[in-house]
Amino acid sequence: MSKIRMNTEYRNKLYNKIKDVFEKEETQEQQAFLQSREVFNAYQRDTFNVARKVVERSYPSDDVATLRKFKKKYGQPCDVVAKDKCFYFAHSEDVDEDGEKTETQSHFDFGLYGNLNGNEYGGGEDSMHFAHAYYREELKANGCNPDIIAQQNGKDDNPHKTKHMEANNKFLGRPSSSYSSDDNGIGLTKTFNSPFFLDVIGTSHCRSRAIACTKDEYNIFLAWRSAKAKVVSTHQTWIDSIGKQTDQLKIGLKAYRYLSEGIELAKELGIELDEAELVRTNSTGLTIYNPSNLASMIKGMKNKNQTREDKIKARLQYEKQSIN
């Protein structure tokens, strides 16, 4: 029996099946990423409890209740209480070279797309990278590519990258405008953000109200932000490791002349693949080379006088047989 020659379709099938195994392997890089998300969840919960205490020291709940009562009585002039999930925290426990107290402050955003660098105007791709990595499984299940930013790391922006980033953000429910806060997010963005809003007093933006905290509290906020950044860095490391493997995989598959060589490669990697199954299925995974399905397809090709309705009916019947 003659060997089956390799072609683009077989290469793509082999590549996708082997890459899928690479992504599911319990490697050190994968486990470090998964653990970083668990650590972040603990930091998010505990650090927000610290933030609640700090904010309520500056804006006591009794004062908030009184102002809301005044708003109800007097209307817009007393509308000075708002919900927020991002805050400027500041401490003044350090001193400069002259012994004078100095203020240290930064912006901390507890939202899904909150910055990782203290910039209230957003964290750019890092904040999106975190959101996509945090909800990686949900995005994958929806046909999105949550690894796109990591895969494109170091490359210029391009339509392919933009398309996948926008699809991820849309699925997660981030507002479409790059100038919009994710305060108004929907879906998973809203689900993530909703537990992390606190009452603040003041009509101006958060940058004009640095909330006083102790140095120890400030360091807790810094540690929380570092835990968030570690989700991004461990995800990048894991995807880089997969990328190095798949780069070599592409080179090897391109050099192979026969399908059996690709099957042997998979076996050497500990992946069992059925050559007959690869041959029987087309790029969509439908079995087309058994006699019944192939005969139906050929018969459909012969009938040049079919109406559009007949062609649709024949195609549906063919697909039904293929699936069964």
Side-chain angles (χ1 to χ4, degrees):
M1 184 176 179
S2 61
K3 290 184 177 181
I4 299 172
R5 293 188 69 84
M6 185 71 85
N7 60 28
T8 300
E9 185 171 351
Y10 292 147
R11 286 191 180 93
N12 288 339
K13 287 184 195 176
L14 285 164
Y15 175 82
N16 289 328
K17 286 181 179 293
I18 296 173
K19 178 175 179 287
D20 185 60
V21 172
F22 288 167
E23 291 187 2
K24 293 176 180 177
E25 285 179 325
E26 292 187 0
T27 62
Q28 291 181 350
E29 293 86 355
Q30 184 219 43
Q31 292 302 302
F33 163 61
L34 296 178
Q35 184 179 15
S36 73
R37 290 195 304 192
E38 294 302 315
V39 170
F40 166 77
N41 285 334
Y43 265 100
Q44 179 85 345
R45 179 189 64 247
D46 296 342
T47 304
F48 184 72
N49 287 335
V50 175
R52 185 191 302 278
K53 293 177 183 178
V54 172
V55 170
E56 289 182 353
R57 277 205 307 262
S58 290
Y59 308 117
S61 56
D62 288 347
D63 291 353
V64 169
T66 298
L67 289 169
R68 284 205 169 117
K69 182 178 179 181
F70 285 164
K71 178 191 173 183
K72 187 175 181 180
K73 183 175 182 179
Y74 299 109
Q76 186 64 32
C78 294
D79 185 10
V80 293
V81 175
K83 295 283 187 181
D84 212 341
K85 60 174 179 54
C86 59
F87 316 93
Y88 266 100
F89 291 125
H91 78 86
S92 302
E93 296 179 36
D94 291 331
V95 295
D96 60 21
E97 57 186 13
D98 298 320
E100 298 292 331
K101 286 187 176 182
T102 61
E103 183 181 70
T104 302
Q105 66 171 261
S106 188
H107 184 262
F108 300 92
D109 189 337
F110 287 89
L112 179 62
Y113 286 90
N115 69 74
L116 281 70
N117 57 9
N119 185 349
E120 74 166 288
Y121 296 105
E125 281 191 0
D126 279 346
S127 64
M128 283 190 280
H129 192 160
F130 170 82
H132 301 170
Y134 187 85
Y135 282 115
R136 184 177 188 275
E137 289 78 9
E138 291 83 352
L139 286 162
K140 289 279 286 186
N142 194 60
C144 296
N145 180 2
D147 306 323
I148 187 63
I149 294 177
Q151 291 167 347
Q152 295 281 316
N153 185 40
K155 299 179 182 178
D156 293 336
D157 288 341
N158 56 76
H160 171 73
K161 177 182 177 181
T162 300
K163 178 184 73 173
H164 286 290
M165 287 172 58
E166 289 179 348
N168 291 341
N169 292 335
K170 181 178 180 180
F171 175 77
L172 294 179
R174 187 193 191 208
S176 57
S177 172
S178 59
Y179 299 101
S180 297
S181 166
D182 70 341
D183 291 5
N184 299 318
I186 60 175
L188 288 174
T189 298
K190 183 176 181 179
T191 299
F192 183 98
N193 291 352
S194 59
F196 303 112
F197 283 89
L198 295 171
D199 291 317
V200 295
I201 298 172
T203 58
S204 56
H205 203 266
C206 62
R207 65 178 175 273
S208 66
R209 54 170 188 268
I211 302 172
C213 66
T214 67
K215 185 174 182 178
D216 287 343
E217 289 167 337
Y218 189 87
N219 286 336
I220 289 173
F221 300 139
L222 290 178
W224 158 77
R225 199 162 63 195
S226 293
K228 189 173 187 179
K230 192 165 185 178
V231 174
V232 173
S233 63
T234 55
H235 178 257
Q236 183 69 59
T237 299
W238 177 41
I239 298 306
D240 284 345
S241 72
I242 294 174
K244 291 176 182 177
Q245 297 173 72
T246 54
D247 286 345
Q248 292 302 312
L249 177 62
K250 287 178 182 177
I251 294 171
L253 291 176
K254 189 175 181 180
Y256 293 156
R257 296 179 62 191
Y258 299 103
L259 179 58
S260 59
E261 294 176 288
I263 299 294
E264 182 181 354
L265 169 65
K267 186 175 181 180
E268 290 293 328
L269 290 169
I271 304 168
E272 293 296 329
L273 295 179
D274 184 356
E275 179 177 304
E277 181 64 22
L278 288 170
V279 174
R280 283 199 305 268
T281 60
N282 66 6
S283 58
T284 64
L286 296 177
T287 302
I288 64 173
Y289 292 120
N290 68 59
S292 177
N293 291 338
L294 184 56
S296 295
M297 184 170 64
I298 293 174
K299 288 177 182 178
M301 292 176 178
K302 287 182 178 181
N303 190 346
K304 303 298 183 181
N305 296 319
Q306 277 185 310
T307 65
R308 182 174 182 275
E309 289 74 16
D310 288 338
K311 290 179 181 178
I312 293 173
K313 183 177 179 181
R315 181 63 188 179
L316 292 174
Q317 182 63 29
Y318 158 64
E319 291 182 353
K320 182 179 179 181
Q321 290 174 341
S322 299
I323 294 172
N324 294 335

